[in-house]
Amino acid sequence: MPTAESTEERVSVPPERYRQVLGHLATGVTVITAYGRQQPLGMTVNSVTSLSLNPALILFCPAKSSSTWPRIRATGCCRINVMAGHHASIARQFSVTDPDRFQGALWTRQPAGPALDDAVAWIECTLRDEHDGGDHSIVVAEVVSLDAAPASTPLVFFRGRYGTFSSCPA
Ligand SMILES: Cc1cc2nc3c(=O)[nH]c(=O)nc-3n(C[C@H](O)[C@H](O)[C@H](O)COP(=O)(O)O)c2cc1C
């Protein structure tokens, strides 16, 4: 087995190449929300992964350069809104620099963070640990409550573009 050190010496993957190849891994899309001191907070995140069933833990990876993440972290909790097929423009809005990302977004007040209308699923969590992950952090959160709308279609991100899911013929 090569050590991490020797691998680091040999392998130098240009970030753009890495982003382009990993963009072939289709993912769902979430908007993570919380209540900031002055305004609601939200950021588009596709690094959400289920981590542990018992206890129920979930993880996601905010960039260390994110200006929104430290403000969400400060609240100690958040809501993970899993976006629906018709949410591409909302997901875009929550990924760009804008003083009011919630402009035009329909949401209701829920304990851990704003609930975006028509989400395919939602998970409310309390933040538990944050680990180093290079230029990102690995955040582990405890699931407090959750639910899903089984009849809905999710938003999918693939090769830098939004799309929707359709199942294969049986
Ligand atoms: C589909 C998609 C997925 C994203 N996933 C993540 C992610 O997992 N972690 C992250 O830090 N940023 C992710 N981003 C970028 C953030 O949404 C956005 O760049 C970030 O919130 C920048 O604004 P901020 O400085 O206000 O945080 C993603 C963007 C898109 C469009």
Side-chain angles (χ1 to χ4, degrees):
M1 281 282 281
T3 64
E5 224 171 18
S6 67
T7 309
E8 237 169 61
E9 275 166 24
R10 273 187 291 119
V11 181
S12 165
V13 179
E16 272 318 307
R17 175 75 178 141
Y18 181 63
R19 188 198 293 268
Q20 188 249 331
V21 172
L22 269 289
H24 290 72
L25 176 63
T27 67
V29 180
T30 75
V31 173
I32 298 185
T33 58
Y35 298 109
R37 284 194 185 164
Q38 275 132 34
Q39 64 189 84
L41 304 167
M43 64 187 285
T44 300
V45 168
N46 68 347
S47 55
V48 173
T49 305
S50 60
L51 175 63
S52 161
L53 290 177
N54 189 13
L57 300 176
I58 193 162
L59 73 77
F60 55 89
C61 304
K64 287 180 182 168
S65 61
S66 167
S67 59
T68 303
W69 167 243
R71 291 183 287 153
I72 295 178
R73 181 210 285 129
T75 73
C77 59
C78 67
R79 183 181 181 99
I80 301 173
N81 299 271
V82 181
M83 297 288 85
H86 64 281
H87 277 146
S89 63
I90 293 282
R92 222 171 266 124
Q93 190 165 319
F94 278 93
S95 70
V96 295
T97 308
D98 189 314
D100 183 11
R101 287 180 172 169
F102 283 81
Q103 200 168 31
L106 300 173
W107 62 278
T108 52
R109 206 172 171 88
Q110 289 296 332
L116 295 172
D117 279 15
D118 298 335
V120 166
W122 55 267
I123 302 108
E124 290 208 326
C125 30
T126 55
L127 304 174
R128 177 165 151 160
D129 296 307
E130 189 165 335
H131 306 278
D132 180 55
D135 58 9
H136 283 59
S137 299
I138 304 161
V139 174
V140 177
E142 280 182 36
V143 176
V144 174
S145 59
L146 75 173
D147 207 351
S152 48
T153 305
L155 186 62
V156 173
F157 195 65
F158 175 64
R159 294 205 306 211
R161 301 189 63 174
Y162 293 103
T164 56
F165 173 80
S166 63
S167 43
C168 298

